[in-house]
Amino acid sequence: MECIVVSHTSAVRGARAERCSYAAVTWHPLDKREQRRVLASCAPNKIAIDFEELARKGFWQGAEGEELHILIGDASHVSRKSGLHCHVISRPLPAGAIMRVGAGLYCCSPAFATLLYSEGRSLPEVYALVMELLGIYSLPAEATLPIAWGGVWPDFTDRHNVEQEHCRCEPAVTMRELRAVAAWATGRRYATFRRAVEYALSGSASPMETVMAGMFSIPMRWGGFNLRALPQGGIFLNHRIDFSPRAVRMASGIPYAVCDLYIPAAGSDLEYNGGYHEQESVRVRDGQRNNGLKGMGVKVLVINRDQMIDIVALEAIAQSIYDDANQRFRYQAAGYRARQLALLNGLRAGIGLPPV
């Protein structure tokens, strides 16, 4: 059987193309026995690879300097062909690590591809990708190479920009899948992936929600404000609160609200209001919704675009949340401002935005 298994950056690009095209990953996972058979058969040094087909599937862009990353199980099958980068893993893979895309074409699952992609990258970058796969959005496939190569996407994006193009889709992974891969990934080379999975949250609805969640939830030693450590579960993304009859009346009939970041210990909803919320009709509905939340005893804190690049403002908001949760806000590491800036810029880099 002639086949290839796409991996690393190429697999991440393919997953984004799949999610933006079909609103979900439609590939079929293999069991461990099939995985062993496919990896043993993967010999890119012996077959002609159809790059046009790979481009149609989203795995290949054809950019200058691009390499097609391929996973193989036998070092003797390594190909030296130009444009190919072969990676050898001979140990048994976790179940579902490889998925069938089509006849002779296989790909690492989004969870396993992210593990492989994470090697040598920073925690904020890997966290941003994990959050994207757990979320209900995807960056376009075209953003993959610029981000992987440390650039910005689209070109000439301004440093004051805080929003990024994305498409809506179903989550590509579950926390259970990520934790299974993290348990397989022992050793220092995958420590960043394991930490990103530990800190990740399900349900992010946009790249900027991911940046906001990272800044407020990641522990302080990495530059975040560590809301995840607050009582009652820390924070929850896109948490639904059903209104009482009185709150429904206060909200002019709106029956519930979905909170961007809900902090139960503080009774607070942290909202990011981008350009969409500046429309008159949206502002009216936001006001009604916030009245309903007030009727439920929930305090609404709104972050605008300017504040998402203002670390001092983000810090003051975090301190307010700690106060409302009756918890002490205290830094336990020196150089916290530099850490915060590094985290913010790393998260921005992970979604293709330039540093502030």
Side-chain angles (χ1 to χ4, degrees), residues 5-22:
V5 180
V6 182
S7 67
H8 293 70
T9 306
S10 305
V12 172
R13 190 184 194 282
R16 284 174 170 152
E18 179 81 354
R19 297 179 80 199
C20 286
S21 295
Y22 303 106

Side-chain angles (χ1 to χ4, degrees), residues 214-274:
M215 288 303 299
F216 282 98
S217 69
I218 287 176
M220 291 182 180
R221 68 188 179 109
W222 299 105
F225 297 116
N226 202 29
L227 297 187
R228 66 191 301 274
L230 291 179
Q232 301 180 44
I235 69 174
F236 299 90
L237 275 175
N238 291 298
H239 177 77
R240 174 169 166 159
I241 295 179
D242 292 304
F243 290 167
S244 67
R246 186 181 70 173
V248 170
R249 294 193 297 271
M250 292 177 66
S252 299
I254 297 175
Y256 65 88
V258 176
C259 303
D260 286 354
L261 266 71
Y262 178 59
I263 308 99
S268 297
D269 167 28
L270 191 55
E271 292 286 320
Y272 169 68
N273 280 6

Side-chain angles (χ1 to χ4, degrees), residues 26-182:
T26 63
W27 310 327
H28 304 287
L30 306 184
D31 60 29
K32 290 186 176 182
R33 181 179 179 182
E34 289 178 297
Q35 287 180 165
R36 289 194 297 270
R37 178 169 56 83
V38 167
L39 272 183
S41 303
C42 184
N45 59 340
K46 298 180 180 179
I47 64 173
I49 295 176
D50 187 346
F51 282 92
E52 291 185 0
E53 175 66 11
L54 291 171
R56 284 192 294 270
K57 297 289 187 182
F59 297 108
W60 180 252
Q61 183 171 327
E64 182 178 355
E66 179 182 5
E67 293 180 314
L68 178 67
H69 293 266
I70 296 177
L71 192 66
I72 59 177
D74 186 340
S76 67
H77 292 166
V78 170
S79 174
R80 307 299 179 187
K81 295 178 182 177
S82 176
L84 297 186
H85 189 154
C86 296
H87 306 265
V88 182
I89 297 182
S90 56
R91 61 183 285 207
L93 303 182
I98 296 177
M99 307 182 82
R100 180 182 293 105
V101 179
L105 178 57
Y106 299 83
C107 177
C108 291
S109 70
F112 197 68
T114 301
L115 169 72
L116 301 178
Y117 177 89
S118 72
E119 190 173 358
R121 300 188 184 276
S122 71
L123 173 63
E125 292 177 86
V126 180
Y127 174 89
L129 178 55
V130 170
M131 290 284 287
E132 176 185 342
L133 296 175
L134 281 168
I136 56 172
Y137 74 92
S138 173
L139 296 179
E142 295 76 20
T144 305
L145 289 183
I147 292 173
W149 292 347
V152 300
W153 187 87
D155 291 339
F156 312 113
T157 299
D158 187 85
R159 61 181 290 271
H160 296 290
N161 189 32
V162 298
E163 297 180 9
Q164 183 58 285
E165 179 183 340
H166 59 281
C167 57
R168 300 281 290 193
C169 54
E170 294 297 313
V173 298
T174 64
M175 284 302 308
R176 182 177 181 179
E177 291 171 329
L178 288 168
R179 287 168 181 155
V181 172

Side-chain angles (χ1 to χ4, degrees), residues 179-199:
R179 287 168 181 155
V181 172
W184 178 90
T186 57
R188 295 180 60 184
R189 65 189 295 190
Y190 297 131
T192 299
F193 175 82
R194 295 195 301 271
R195 190 167 286 119
V197 170
E198 178 186 355
Y199 298 156

